[in-house]
Amino acid sequence: PKGLITVLAALPAKQLKRFKEYLHFQPFNGKPKLVELFLLIESQILKPGKLHTELESLLPDSSIRPTQLNKLTTLLHQKLDLFLSLQQIENEPHRHLPFTLYAYKELGIEPGLSEKKWRQLHKKLNAGPQTEEHFIQRYYLAQIATQIRIGPAPKATESHFQHIHDLSDLAYVTAKMRYLCASLNEAAILNLPAPTAQIAAIAPLIDQCKSEFPPYSEAFHLVFQLLSATAPPPADFERVLDFLRLHGSLIDSEDLFDLYNYALNAIYRRIDLSEPGFTELAATTYINMLDHRLLTLGGTMHPRIFKNIVTTHCLLQRFEWCNSFIRDYQRFLKGEDAQLLIRYC
């Protein structure tokens, strides 16, 4: 809690107010006890001379039970990380991930899309004609949504993929697996239903084309299997990570980032369930991404990723590795937040 309170105390009043509004936003936030915890910190701790107040001492005057505090504090920390990431995208779009910048460029809009503008564009595209151009635009909008998590991805229908199918079965299957990986990742993040009908429909075609799969298609196939399984064991994740490590140089860096990111999101969902072995897998994923230089594209590293890498390796008690990582990669942190984050880590 002390690290969380330190960061909250460093926020300007205007940004703190926007974070409070963000916590109230439905349907992605709005959890009553989480809002109550923030209001408790804001009213009782973020005051002159009160920063060292023990949070536990304030619980008797709230509806929060002591057994809930650790989970709520962790969740509030995650929400703060995401909020600060959204703020960074809005205020300094040139530092955002290059493949999402490319999506902005292809849509012809300025980076830093607000939630309101995203919904307006989402509605406009979904009401548009069913053409290849509009499908591509919907896909790019989905990419932006996946990265900044402000709304569900636009839905694609089979007619969107027909032009690919006319050219090649293999190209069609690969494109469909790519889309389904994005959809499954999005569904897990936003608690949406999985596209089970589309998964069932594509399965026979995957079997037909499997012998032709190049590394690019095979990579999406392995991640697709991982995301569509109910509770894959650590060995399945290891197989995916080994394949991406060995064949990553043959896959476009933007697609490789997506594939690692999908696997990483799935790993963290299992960590949240306290399943053994998955913290080690998260650490391995980050090391692989660093080896492929996926986390320093454009000469910068996202602060949230930097902190997650340090936190993950600290949980594994790899303190010397953490010190080396901070020393070697702090130069990729830019702006005023860099020193605060390094002290926080």
Side-chain angles (χ1 to χ4, degrees), residues 124-158:
K124 180 181 176 182
L125 284 178
N126 274 352
Q130 305 293 310
T131 64
E132 177 183 347
E133 180 183 357
H134 276 74
F135 162 65
I136 292 171
Q137 288 180 335
R138 288 184 181 92
Y139 172 75
Y140 285 131
L141 192 62
Q143 286 285 13
I144 293 171
T146 300
Q147 289 309 306
I148 61 179
R149 301 179 184 182
I150 55 175
K155 298 296 183 286
T157 63
E158 193 58 37

Side-chain angles (χ1 to χ4, degrees), residues 83 122 205 243 256 288 298-299 307 335:
F83 170 78
H122 174 272
L205 288 172
F243 186 90
L256 188 60
N288 287 1
K307 187 181 76 66

Side-chain angles (χ1 to χ4, degrees), residues 60 152 166 242 289:
D166 292 342
D242 286 345
M289 294 177 82

Side-chain angles (χ1 to χ4, degrees), residues 32-50:
K33 287 189 183 293
L34 193 64
V35 172
E36 184 181 3
L37 177 61
F38 172 77
L39 294 175
L40 197 64
I41 293 171
E42 182 189 35
S43 62
Q44 302 295 326
I45 298 180
L46 300 183
K47 302 291 182 185
K50 297 282 189 177

Side-chain angles (χ1 to χ4, degrees), residues 191-208:
N191 294 318
L192 300 171
T196 50
Q198 292 192 52
I199 291 171
I202 195 68
L205 288 172
I206 289 175
D207 288 338
Q208 285 179 30

